[in-house]
Amino acid sequence: MSTTTSPRTRRALAAGSGFVALNAFAGGVALATGVIDLGPVVTDRLPSHSPVLAGLALVLVVGAPMAVAARRAATGHPRWAGTAVFAGACLVAWIAVQLVVIRTFSWLQPVMAAAGVAVLLAGLRGIRKR
């Protein structure tokens, strides 16, 4: 049943969460390699003052769950909806923690928070349609 449930929702979810995953992986690598420099003030606010750890955390907390959600939605995996709820919640939590930890605002934060909410809601829609 889950492979035919909400095919339009699953396609949109696969594309959206895949896009977020790619950006999280790219951002994580860019942080870890120094391509993105947060500046001394923000870097001092990071745990262990380490952009490498921040990049790794971004990959693990946002990139990996979003990639799994994209894959599961694209293939119609029986747990695609629950995975989407988890991945969306991870992204929203990441943004909330980011605001508390680095205490700096970027236009990208509300955009990514909205993407997290959209992924979460798509998952909830999939669960509800079962």
Side-chain angles (χ1 to χ4, degrees):
M1 178 170 143
S2 63
T3 57
T4 59
T5 303
S6 309
R8 177 186 277 166
T9 300
R10 286 191 299 103
R11 282 192 300 268
L13 174 63
S17 56
F19 180 76
V20 172
L22 286 174
N23 280 285
F25 289 132
V29 169
L31 276 171
T33 60
V35 171
I36 293 178
D37 182 9
L38 299 175
V41 172
V42 173
T43 299
D44 283 346
R45 294 176 182 162
L46 294 174
S48 300
H49 311 290
S50 174
V52 173
L53 288 179
L56 180 61
L58 178 58
V59 166
L60 294 176
V61 174
V62 177
M66 284 290 175
V68 173
R71 173 81 174 153
R72 286 185 170 182
T75 62
H77 187 282
R79 295 188 181 173
W80 70 267
T83 305
V85 170
F86 177 75
C90 284
L91 178 52
V92 171
W94 175 266
I95 297 299
V97 169
Q98 186 183 78
L99 287 169
V100 170
V101 170
I102 67 171
R103 301 184 305 267
T104 302
F105 179 78
S106 164
W107 64 270
L108 197 54
Q109 290 162 329
V111 170
M112 287 294 110
V117 169
V119 169
L120 189 147
L121 291 176
L124 289 175
R125 181 177 181 185
I127 290 169
R128 189 178 65 227
K129 285 200 172 196
R130 279 189 178 167

